[in-house]
Amino acid sequence: MHAYALASVAVPVTAALYGVTGVLRVRTAALRRSALDRWAAVLADPYQAALGRWWPNDPVQAAAARLVLDGLVTVNHRGNLSPAPAATDPARTPGHPLPEALLAALLRRSAPATLGNLVLRDAEFEAARREFWEARPELLAVGEPGGRARVGLLLLCAEMLFYTAGLMSLQPDGDAEWAAAWAAWAGLIAQVVWFRVYDRSRGAGWTGDADAVAAARHGTPHPALQALDVRDPEAFRRLRVSRLRTRRGRNRGRPRRRTPAENGGPLSSG
């Protein structure tokens, strides 16, 4: 094969490879900036920032802390939550959908309830939590190459093998042919280097704005939780107990002792 033919194909192919890689990197960088800007706006809401966290720093615990701090809810030593008299005042609304949904769930009850009971058994509160979760935008993602990209890589490997065989059989004659041969060799070497660049970029792949979500998940606790821990540590501990309890029984889950009247026995005449 002639050196001119090899150089006329190897050099454009190499330029195309690096050009496509550059375009993809610019696109990925633009997606990253867009994702981080969007999530910065979402995570400005501290309840959204706490949405992916586990108990005791999750948004339900934060909503309860906010209600206690605002004097709309009280919590006793058993972890039972009760609406305060100010809870029915229209001017004393929590100002956020999640604590509002929690307060509404407590107002629907005829008796105090624990956080664990509300989370487990209150369908309307669960619907409000689901709606709050679905308000988040979908994650952007840059995945692994698809089927077409893999076919392109196989074709590139075949092209490199073909050109390696052609270059090994070259016998340039004159300065012009030597220059073309060296250009073809340079293109082939650049293609080999490109594989290394491609492998590194794929190994350090970016999964979208999930990194912003992960950073928020491990960030500082919700401001209401921090404030309650400082202002009223006892109420803060009671809320933790409340989230773990699914019953509000006085005996903490043990069967209540029945009276003689409940057992059908005779009543004392005293």
Side-chain angles (χ1 to χ4, degrees):
M1 185 175 290
H2 204 281
Y4 296 136
L6 290 175
S8 65
V9 176
V11 174
V13 168
T14 304
L17 284 176
Y18 282 91
V20 169
T21 303
V23 170
L24 290 178
R25 286 188 172 182
V26 170
R27 174 180 174 273
T28 301
L31 284 174
R32 176 187 283 270
R33 286 194 300 270
S34 173
L36 293 179
D37 290 345
R38 178 178 57 174
W39 277 100
V42 171
L43 299 178
D45 179 354
Y47 292 96
Q48 282 283 1
L51 200 53
R53 297 177 186 168
W54 296 99
W55 174 88
N57 292 325
D58 66 349
V60 173
Q61 199 84 357
R66 184 73 271 162
L67 294 176
V68 172
L69 285 170
D70 291 345
L72 300 176
V73 164
T74 59
V75 56
N76 66 14
H77 64 282
R78 295 190 181 95
N80 295 323
L81 300 175
S82 304
T88 57
D89 185 356
R92 297 285 301 277
T93 58
H96 190 278
L98 201 58
E100 286 176 1
L102 179 57
L103 182 59
L106 289 170
L107 290 173
R108 286 193 299 268
R109 299 252 170 168
S110 59
T114 65
L115 276 178
N117 184 278
L118 293 174
V119 170
L120 188 63
R121 297 186 173 90
D122 195 293
E124 292 186 41
F125 182 53
E126 174 60 27
R129 292 173 63 206
R130 189 181 309 112
E131 182 179 356
F132 184 65
W133 176 273
E134 292 173 352
R136 280 192 168 198
E138 293 294 330
L139 293 178
L140 294 178
V142 179
E144 292 293 322
R148 294 181 180 179
R150 293 189 181 94
V151 171
L153 291 175
L154 291 175
L155 291 176
L156 178 61
C157 290
E159 179 261 351
M160 292 174 65
L161 290 174
F162 175 77
Y163 273 95
T164 300
L167 287 170
M168 295 299 292
S169 63
L170 278 181
Q171 294 181 352
D173 184 16
D175 293 342
E177 289 190 14
W178 272 108
W182 280 114
W185 273 111
L188 184 62
I189 293 171
Q191 291 177 22
V192 174
V193 174
W194 177 87
F195 265 101
R196 181 61 177 168
V197 173
Y198 171 79
D199 185 64
R200 284 183 177 178
S201 63
R202 190 178 63 170
W206 175 58
T207 57
D209 42 15
D211 52 356
V213 179
R217 182 175 299 173
H218 300 291
T220 57
H222 190 282
L225 291 171
Q226 298 182 67
L228 185 63
D229 190 19
V230 173
R231 186 185 305 178
D232 192 347
E234 181 63 27
F236 181 76
R237 288 191 290 270
R238 290 176 179 179
L239 283 183
R240 292 194 170 193
V241 172
S242 181
R243 183 59 190 276
L244 293 177
R245 295 187 57 216
T246 58
R247 299 176 58 184
R248 71 175 190 91
R250 296 179 181 179
N251 296 323
R252 302 191 180 187
R254 296 190 298 273
R256 183 170 61 89
R257 181 181 299 174
R258 304 181 69 183
T259 64
E262 291 174 330
N263 287 322
L267 296 175
S268 61
S269 58

